[in-house]
Amino acid sequence: MPHYKLIYFNMRGRAEIIRYLFAYLDIQYEDHRISQDDWPAVKQTVPFGKIPILEVDGVPLHQSLAIGRFLAREAGLAGKTELEQCQVDAIIDTLDDFMSRFPWAEKKQDIKDQMFNELLTNDAPGLLQDLDLYLGKKDWFVGNSVTWADFYWDICSTTLLVLKQDLLDKHPKLVVLRKKVQSIPVIADWIKQRPETRM
Ligand SMILES: N[C@@H](CCC(=O)N[C@@H](CS)C(=O)NCC(=O)O)C(=O)O
């Protein structure tokens, strides 16, 4: 078994999908959480100067979703056919497009608040409507079993709900999907034991 070391901040953020997949795979890994103070020094040492990074026997992999796809394939969560894999990737990209629009690192609090508010109030409803329609009467976003797209929905929506608690009030099916992911025993265990962080 390779040695896996995940490097990220003490947050769920972009590392959480990797942590969910490790939990599902029941693979031990080093969940290395660095402080903001240590980041400038660490930044010099990682490829492309961004985290998360997953080191596999010392080989650094970057880009959270590339790492996620690598682990999802291993876990059988990437989609059962090539067509389903494309659908899974498309849901992931759709969620990631939206999450990437938030100015997470904006220093000016008033500008940050305004942009967050606009995204949550004006843009989120359309995305949620589309996700709800896409899910339809199915149990999972793609195919007839859980995929990492469902995991990513749970992770992104957990963060969005911190920012806007009534976000899913009109979308009970999307809430049910969250609950289904959260009640997969290994995911439930991880959620119970993970460090509590706001984001
Ligand atoms: N698309 C990349 C984004 C990586 C990224 O922007 N990471 C942020 C943290 S979420 C980061 O490293 N910020 C610190 C910096 O840019 O100095 C991924 O998904 O891994």
Side-chain angles (χ1 to χ4, degrees):
M1 178 67 69
H3 179 82
Y4 293 104
K5 178 176 178 182
L6 175 63
I7 303 167
Y8 196 58
F9 297 121
N10 182 26
M11 296 167 55
R12 297 185 309 280
R14 288 189 167 276
E16 197 63 11
I17 187 64
I18 300 168
R19 300 188 184 112
Y20 268 42
L21 288 160
F22 274 132
Y24 191 85
L25 283 159
D26 192 21
I27 286 179
Q28 299 301 310
Y29 65 104
E30 202 182 324
D31 190 11
H32 187 73
R33 295 172 182 240
I34 59 167
S35 69
Q36 296 286 345
D37 287 350
D38 288 343
W39 171 236
V42 177
K43 188 174 171 75
Q44 307 306 315
T45 69
V46 298
F48 300 94
K50 300 272 180 199
I51 43 179
I53 292 284
L54 179 66
E55 289 180 1
V56 183
D57 283 339
V59 176
L61 302 177
H62 71 290
Q63 285 291 350
S64 59
L65 298 182
I67 299 165
R69 198 166 295 112
F70 164 67
L71 296 175
R73 283 198 203 107
E74 178 81 20
L77 290 177
K80 286 188 185 138
T81 62
E82 288 187 5
L83 188 119
E84 285 190 9
Q85 284 165 17
C86 182
Q87 293 174 319
V88 167
D89 285 350
I91 290 294
I92 304 258
D93 286 350
T94 297
L95 291 168
D96 200 61
D97 279 355
F98 186 65
M99 298 307 284
S100 298
R101 290 176 64 197
F102 286 83
W104 301 103
E106 173 59 57
K107 296 270 186 318
K108 294 193 185 114
Q109 195 59 42
D110 52 339
I111 292 177
K112 186 171 179 176
D113 288 348
Q114 191 196 336
M115 290 175 77
F116 269 59
N117 194 32
E118 277 170 21
L119 284 162
L120 292 163
T121 310
N122 303 338
D123 298 298
L127 170 67
L128 296 172
Q129 185 63 26
D130 289 343
L131 288 168
D132 206 322
L133 262 175
Y134 192 93
L135 179 61
K137 293 193 164 66
K138 304 194 302 298
D139 282 338
W140 308 99
F141 272 130
V142 178
N144 56 13
S145 57
V146 65
T147 68
W148 71 301
D150 305 303
F151 285 10
Y152 205 51
W153 162 243
D154 179 49
I155 290 162
C156 295
S157 57
T158 294
T159 292
L160 294 174
L161 283 165
V162 171
L163 299 166
K164 192 173 188 329
Q165 277 130 36
D166 64 355
L167 189 87
L168 296 180
D169 285 4
K170 293 187 186 140
H171 297 282
K173 283 189 302 172
L174 293 176
V175 175
V176 168
L177 181 55
R178 281 172 49 75
K179 297 217 166 104
K180 280 157 60 101
V181 171
Q182 289 167 12
S183 54
I184 295 169
V186 284
I187 299 297
D189 280 353
W190 167 245
I191 291 172
K192 217 183 298 162
Q193 73 172 69
R194 72 185 170 192
E196 227 172 276
T197 58
R198 183 168 180 267
M199 290 287 139

